[in-house]
Amino acid sequence: MPSTETPFTYEDVGATRENRTPPGYHPLHVRTRIGEGRRVFEASYQAVLTWELHRAMGVGITTEAPKAAPGVELTVTLAGLIKAPCRIVWTVEEPRQAGWAYGTLPGHPESGEEAFLVEMTGDGTVWLTVRAFSRAAKWYARAGGPATRGLQHAYARRCGAVLRRLHGGDEV
């Protein structure tokens, strides 16, 4: 894995925390209802913070850290072929929201940031929001053009569906 001295592949580090998309990047924002209640919220945010969600999706996560924390480095592996090194840029663990965002490091097929945030609204509804900004960094991501962005949106929707299957449902 790259050292923490390895620079990010983009400049506006932390922009997902403010829900901003820097110029020249493609935005992504997908929000999925997971269920209702404190139990659903806590189980869902633990699944996001501890990599359970990603592993349940069949995504490889290589890291020595048991959970997301700023500075933690990880490599995401897709289909056993694409290795995407990244570093956690921020986390949040509050009574009604929890999650994290990673920034891309050299070798990642995209350049940008992606956040996974579990929130519980005032009425107790639990949501997963995946938001990102990115642009192609590798030739194959550039060659994919709009299809690559379509795959990113499908991935974000699948995150919500898998989390709902794992921990969703409504408390009575």
Side-chain angles (χ1 to χ4, degrees):
M1 287 191 150
S3 91
T4 56
E5 301 303 314
T6 303
F8 290 103
T9 61
Y10 63 103
E11 299 213 1
D12 205 349
V13 176
T16 54
R17 182 174 223 141
E18 299 160 4
N19 203 14
R20 286 187 299 107
T21 300
Y25 288 83
H26 299 283
L28 178 139
H29 187 98
V30 175
R31 188 171 189 228
T32 306
R33 182 184 181 281
I34 304 304
E36 290 187 14
R38 175 69 46 195
R39 180 194 58 76
V40 171
F41 170 72
E42 290 176 1
S44 295
Y45 92 67
Q46 286 299 322
V48 168
L49 288 173
T50 63
W51 329 116
E52 177 191 4
L53 167 61
H54 290 80
R55 288 184 171 129
M57 292 179 56
V59 174
I61 299 286
T62 305
T63 184
E64 294 181 15
K67 73 184 250 187
V72 164
E73 293 190 1
L74 60 146
T75 298
V76 177
T77 305
L78 301 170
L81 301 171
I82 298 173
K83 295 196 183 303
C86 38
R87 183 180 310 126
I88 306 295
V89 295
W90 61 263
T91 59
V92 61
E93 287 187 69
E94 296 176 353
R96 291 192 170 268
Q97 68 174 356
W100 53 274
Y102 73 75
T104 58
L105 296 174
H108 197 292
E110 296 283 321
S111 173
E113 207 167 280
E114 187 168 24
F116 303 88
L117 189 62
V118 177
E119 300 169 280
M120 186 168 65
T121 59
D123 68 357
T125 304
V126 179
W127 298 88
L128 173 69
T129 301
V130 179
R131 63 182 178 230
F133 60 86
S134 64
R135 64 181 177 204
K138 296 262 187 187
W139 70 267
Y140 52 86
R142 282 191 297 278
T148 300
R149 288 189 295 286
L151 290 172
Q152 290 170 328
H153 279 82
Y155 177 83
R157 286 190 303 274
R158 186 162 179 255
C159 284
V162 168
L163 189 59
R164 186 173 48 239
R165 180 179 49 82
L166 287 172
H167 298 294
D170 299 329
E171 294 180 359
V172 287

